[in-house]
Amino acid sequence: MVEITKDRALEIITPFYDLFRSDKRDWEKGFDSLHDDWVSRDGNGPNAFRTKDQTKEYLGNFFKMIPDINVKNLDVFVNGEWIIVRSELTGTPAGDQFLGEPVTGKPFHIMALDMNRVDENGKLVELYHCENWAIAIMQVRGAWE
């Protein structure tokens, strides 16, 4: 099992989380931090996941929908080979629709919880993540401040 320090954990995760910082995004560094067999699991079923290549395409579209997206990591915890991150995502949707809702020009800010598993070479190999997109939709609608 991999044991890492908090400082090392921050080194490992920063390039990936920078993908979600519109002013620091570096596609090459972000995806180089991921193992070739990396998977992203978002809770859509026990066997549902996106591969590294599928995630590149998905995030390209996602960042068009929220061009000013920003992540702020609030807490980082390390437990063996796992790096757990509690963060805040903010952004203002652009275009015509945001998650099936009309774009209103209003921003959102939501909490995200991530569990990142790291291999012995410091590559991210698996991500479990949960974001509160229902609250984001309500904020964009103006129904939740």
Side-chain angles (χ1 to χ4, degrees), residues 121-136:
N121 298 312
K123 294 280 190 174
L124 299 170
V125 294
E126 188 171 24
L127 167 64
Y128 289 86
H129 60 101
C130 182
E131 301 86 21
N132 199 338
W133 293 112
I135 295 296

Side-chain angles (χ1 to χ4, degrees), residues 2 4-17 33 83 118-119 121-124:
V2 178
I4 55 176
T5 65
K6 185 172 179 180
D7 287 340
R8 179 67 178 129
L10 292 170
E11 289 174 18
I12 292 168
I13 66 168
T14 295
F16 179 70
Y17 282 83
S33 69
I83 303 169
V118 180
D119 72 5
N121 298 312
K123 294 280 190 174
L124 299 170

Side-chain angles (χ1 to χ4, degrees), residues 76-92:
V76 176
F77 305 97
V78 179
N79 186 356
E81 65 188 354
W82 291 94
I83 303 169
I84 296 90
V85 181
R86 180 178 71 90
S87 59
E88 179 182 61
L89 282 174
T90 59
T92 306

Side-chain angles (χ1 to χ4, degrees), residues 8-99:
R8 179 67 178 129
L10 292 170
E11 289 174 18
I12 292 168
I13 66 168
T14 295
F16 179 70
Y17 282 83
D18 279 352
L19 289 171
F20 297 86
R21 296 179 177 107
S22 59
D23 63 338
K24 293 185 179 185
R25 184 171 302 132
D26 184 325
W27 285 95
E28 187 174 333
K29 285 183 184 178
F31 282 94
D32 281 350
S33 69
L34 307 178
H35 188 278
D36 288 341
D37 295 327
W38 177 85
V39 293
S40 170
R41 302 178 189 277
D42 62 7
N44 287 327
N47 298 317
F49 62 88
R50 281 191 190 90
T51 65
K52 185 175 176 177
D53 287 338
Q54 290 168 331
T55 298
K56 284 181 187 178
E57 181 180 346
Y58 176 82
L59 288 180
N61 292 324
F62 187 75
F63 296 151
K64 288 177 188 171
M65 185 172 53
I66 313 165
D68 67 342
I69 195 162
N70 188 52
V71 66
K72 180 179 180 182
N73 292 341
L74 303 172
D75 293 304
V76 176
F77 305 97
V78 179
N79 186 356
E81 65 188 354
W82 291 94
I83 303 169
I84 296 90
V85 181
R86 180 178 71 90
S87 59
E88 179 182 61
L89 282 174
T90 59
T92 306
D96 296 326
Q97 291 205 338
F98 171 65
L99 303 175

